Amino acid sequence: MKQKSVAVVGAAETTKMGKIPDQSVIQLHADAALNAMADAGLKPSDIDGVATAGASPVELAHYLGITPTYADGTSVGGCSFMLHVRHAAAAINEGLAKTILITHGESGRSRVGAGGFGRNPASLMGQFEMPYGVTSPPTMFTIPVLRYLKTYGLTEEDLAMVAVIQREWAAKNPRASFKDPITVDDVLNSPMIAWPFRMLMCCLVTDGGGALILTSADRAKDFPQKPVYILGTGESVETPMVSQMEDFTSSKAFRVSGKKAFDEAGIKHSDVDHLMIYDAFAHLPLYGLEDLGFCKPGEAAAFIRERNTAIGGKLPLNTNGGGLSYMHSGMYGMYALQESVRQMRGIAPAQVPGAKISVCHGVGGMFAASGTVIFSNEA
Amino acid sequence: MDRALPTPTPETQHFWDGCKAGELRLQRCTECSKTYFPPRPFCPGCGSRAVEVYAASGKGVLWSYVINHRPRPDMGKDPHSIAVVKLQEGPTMMTNIVGCPQTPEALQLDMPVEVVFETFGETALPLFQPAKG
Ligand SMILES: [Zn+2]
C-alpha cells in the first residue's frame, strides 16, 4: 500500500472491560463501535464500510444500521483485525469505501450469546489433532515450545520473565486486569496447566471489545483526533494444525507478514519506538522479536531479561500489559491495535515519550496466521 | 466418556484403514519423491497428482510436547502427553506418547519412538512409545 495514505481517525474499547455478564457478543461489538464513532465525531450513517471477525459483517452492519459498500469478514483468528486494517487501507485507496469501521467483541469469560468450541471431526484438525486430547489453546499453542527451548538452551525461567516484565507495564494501566507485581518464582509456582506452561504464562480470559475507524489521510485532517497513519502492513497464513508448522522454533507466517510490513513502511528496526506482539502465551513475544528481526534466533530471551523491552528500555513492548495481564477476550489483536493507536496519539497510560513509530504484530489460531500493522503519527 | 475420534474422508480413508491393519501408511510423490502428511491425493511440494501410498517405518523421534494437567473428559483424569513426533520419513505428526511415565524426566526430546496402534471401537489411533532397541 501507499505509505500514510490512510489513517485511523476513531479508536475505542468497550466501556467496560473484564467481566461483562450483562452484554452479548454482538452488543460488545456495538458498544465499542459507538465509542469509536463518538471518538471520531461520526454517526452510523457516516460509515460506508465494515469489517469484523467472530460476528459476521452482515450481523454488524444490520445491528448498527449501516448500509456499506464494502464488507470484509476475514476471520483467521486473533490477528483478523490487523488484516482488516490492511484490507481497509487498500479498499479506501481503491475507492471501495470512504470510512471503514472495524470491530471486535467477545464474551470470552461470561460466554453471553457466544458459540461453542466444537470442531468438525472430519476436518484435518479433527482427524489428526483432536483425537490426542487437545482442548483449548493452552494445549496447542504451547506444543512447539520445548523444541524452541532445547534448540537455544533456554528454560522455563525465560518464559516466566516475559510475564514478569509485562506485569510491570500492566501496573501502570488502570484498566489492566492484573496489576500486582510478580516474580519469576511466582510464575514458576503458579498452577501447572500444560508442562512447561503454568497459569501465569497463559493469557487471561475476559470480556470486552474494541473498534477502529479508518479513512483517507486527506480527510483525516478534519477529524477531532490526531490522525494515526498506516505506514506499512503485512499478512500471511501457514497451517491450521500446529503440528504441521514447518519449523517449531520460528513462525513462517510471522516472518512473511513482518517482512512485508517493514518493506512497505520502508523503515529500519532502529526506527521503531514502540512494539506490540500478540501474547496469548509467554513464548509469543520471543518468537515475535526474532521472526520480526528485532533479535537473532535464540536471542530474544536474553533481550527481554536485560530489560530492553521493560519500562525505560530501548524497545518498549506490550505497554498495556498484554494478553498476559491487560485483557484477552479470545481474539486479542484488537487490543494490541488500540494500544498502538493510543501510543501514537500520545495518550497511553504508560506513554512512551516521543514515540513516532509503532509496530503492531498479531497471531491468529495456533501460529496459523499473522498480520502486522506499522503506524506513524507524522503526516 | 468416549474418546473423540476422527471421521475419515475419501482422501484420508487409506490412513485410517492402515491403522486398523497395523500399518502407518504415508504418501509420497512419485515425481519429486517427497513424503508428506496429512493425506491428500496430490503432492504439496510440487502439485503433482502422481502420488502413492506406502507403509512407513513407524519410527521417529519425540519432537516436542506438552503434558496436559487438565485432561479433556474423554482422556481420563491423569496428566498426559500431547506430543509431536518427527517421523523417519520426514513429516511431523501429533500423537500421545504411551508406555512410559508422563513426566518431563521420562519424555526427553529426540528420544527414539515407535508406533503402536490402540483400538477405540471401530477406530485405531497411531500412538507412539519409547523404541525398544
Ligand atoms: Zn512432488
Side-chain angles (χ1 to χ4, degrees):
Chain A
M1 65 164 284
K2 195 164 143 266
Q3 293 168 11
K4 300 183 182 178
S5 55
V6 170
V8 175
V9 293
E13 294 175 346
T14 41
T15 309
K16 290 189 276 184
M17 190 79 97
K19 198 172 176 187
I20 318 175
D22 58 347
Q23 287 179 40
S24 67
V25 171
I26 191 66
Q27 180 55 33
L28 292 169
H29 282 259
D31 181 58
L34 293 169
N35 287 343
M37 284 186 241
D39 183 60
L42 297 174
K43 301 184 299 298
S45 56
D46 299 317
I47 304 289
D48 62 355
V50 291
T52 193
S56 93
V58 181
E59 282 178 272
L60 177 71
H62 185 258
Y63 197 65
L64 285 167
I66 292 168
T67 305
T69 62
Y70 169 85
D72 180 7
T74 302
S75 186
V76 292
C79 65
S80 297
F81 316 102
M82 282 79 173
L83 278 69
H84 295 155
V85 167
R86 185 167 202 248
H87 303 170
I92 288 166
N93 280 332
E94 186 61 22
L96 307 187
K98 283 193 170 66
T99 312
I100 297 179
L101 169 71
I102 303 169
T103 68
H104 160 69
E106 205 163 5
S107 187
R109 180 186 172 116
S110 306
R111 314 284 321 151
V112 185
F117 285 118
R119 283 190 173 81
N120 172 6
S123 69
L124 288 176
M125 196 199 161
Q127 291 187 65
F128 297 108
E129 289 193 342
M130 288 304 284
Y132 307 108
V134 296
T135 51
S136 47
T139 59
M140 291 185 275
F141 222 149
T142 50
I143 282 178
V145 172
L146 284 180
R147 174 57 51 184
Y148 175 87
L149 296 179
K150 180 172 180 178
T151 300
Y152 297 119
L154 301 172
T155 66
E156 300 163 83
E157 294 190 11
D158 293 299
L159 296 173
M161 187 57 84
V162 175
V164 168
I165 288 179
Q166 289 198 195
R167 185 62 64 85
E168 295 175 13
W169 283 112
K172 302 190 77 145
N173 188 343
R175 265 163 73 95
S177 297
F178 291 139
K179 293 188 270 288
D180 295 339
I182 50 173
T183 64
V184 166
D185 281 346
D186 291 336
V187 179
L188 296 181
N189 289 321
S190 64
M192 185 68 82
I193 303 294
W195 164 261
F197 279 79
R198 294 177 181 269
M199 187 174 279
L200 291 177
M201 300 171 184
C202 305
C203 64
L204 300 157
V205 182
T206 53
D207 306 326
L212 294 170
I213 298 171
L214 274 66
T215 194
S216 66
D218 290 345
R219 295 181 69 223
K221 296 179 188 68
D222 303 326
F223 281 78
Q225 304 292 345
K226 178 177 179 175
V228 177
Y229 299 95
I230 314 292
L231 189 57
T233 59
E235 69 186 274
S236 193
V237 298
E238 182 179 354
T239 168
M241 300 159 71
V242 69
S243 64
Q244 300 306 312
M245 276 178 89
E246 256 179 31
D247 181 347
F248 275 24
T249 69
S250 168
S251 161
K252 183 167 78 172
F254 280 18
R255 297 194 308 272
V256 172
S257 177
K259 181 175 190 314
K260 185 80 181 150
F262 272 82
D263 286 352
E264 274 188 19
I267 59 165
K268 302 186 298 294
H269 289 80
S270 58
D271 296 328
V272 176
D273 302 308
H274 172 251
L275 177 61
M276 297 298 292
I277 297 175
Y278 189 131
D279 59 323
F281 295 92
H283 59 301
L284 287 164
L286 302 177
Y287 282 68
L289 282 166
E290 294 172 13
D291 290 337
L292 291 173
F294 289 100
C295 296
K296 293 201 180 79
E299 294 184 357
F303 188 76
I304 288 176
R305 196 187 313 124
E306 289 157 10
R307 301 191 61 79
N308 288 296
T309 62
I311 296 167
K314 66 179 178 189
L315 186 61
L317 169 67
N318 293 343
T319 48
N320 59 354
L324 296 176
S325 288
Y326 177 52
M327 85 86 68
H328 193 295
S329 54
M331 298 169 87
Y332 168 81
M334 175 57 81
Y335 308 97
L337 289 164
Q338 294 287 335
E339 175 67 6
S340 280
V341 170
R342 284 191 293 265
Q343 289 285 349
M344 291 294 91
R345 287 179 171 183
I347 59 164
Q351 180 63 41
V352 176
K356 293 185 176 65
I357 291 181
S358 174
V359 173
C360 190
H361 181 72
V363 66
M366 320 298 150
F367 287 120
S370 186
T372 314
V373 179
I374 302 180
F375 295 101
S376 164
N377 54 14
E378 294 181 317
Chain B
M1 188 173 178
D2 289 343
R3 177 87 167 224
L5 294 171
T7 301
T9 60
E11 298 80 19
T12 65
Q13 190 69 51
H14 67 271
F15 180 88
W16 295 113
D17 287 348
C19 290
K20 269 198 271 192
E23 267 183 19
L24 189 70
R25 291 180 187 162
L26 296 179
Q27 288 170 302
R28 72 185 151 211
C29 178
T30 59
E31 302 214 351
C32 74
S33 69
K34 179 189 170 76
T35 290
Y36 59 86
F37 180 83
R40 75 210 81 170
F42 61 92
C43 169
C46 73
S48 169
R49 293 175 190 263
V51 298
E52 62 182 2
V53 174
Y54 71 105
S57 66
K59 295 185 190 309
V61 296
L62 176 55
W63 197 240
S64 205
Y65 68 91
V66 295
I67 301 170
N68 188 9
H69 283 248
R70 298 175 164 195
R72 219 168 55 190
D74 61 314
M75 298 296 291
K77 293 220 179 331
D78 297 327
H80 70 85
S81 61
I82 303 174
V84 172
V85 296
K86 187 161 179 60
L87 300 172
Q88 212 167 66
E89 291 79 8
T92 53
M93 180 182 287
M94 190 176 279
T95 189
N96 304 120
I97 306 297
V98 297
C100 70
Q102 303 292 290
T103 61
E105 294 71 30
L107 296 164
Q108 294 288 332
L109 293 201
D110 300 309
M111 73 180 192
V113 293
E114 62 191 17
V115 73
V116 52
F117 296 96
E118 192 168 333
T119 302
F120 299 86
E122 291 298 296
T123 304
L125 292 178
L127 309 183
F128 283 75
Q129 63 186 14
K132 298 193 168 90

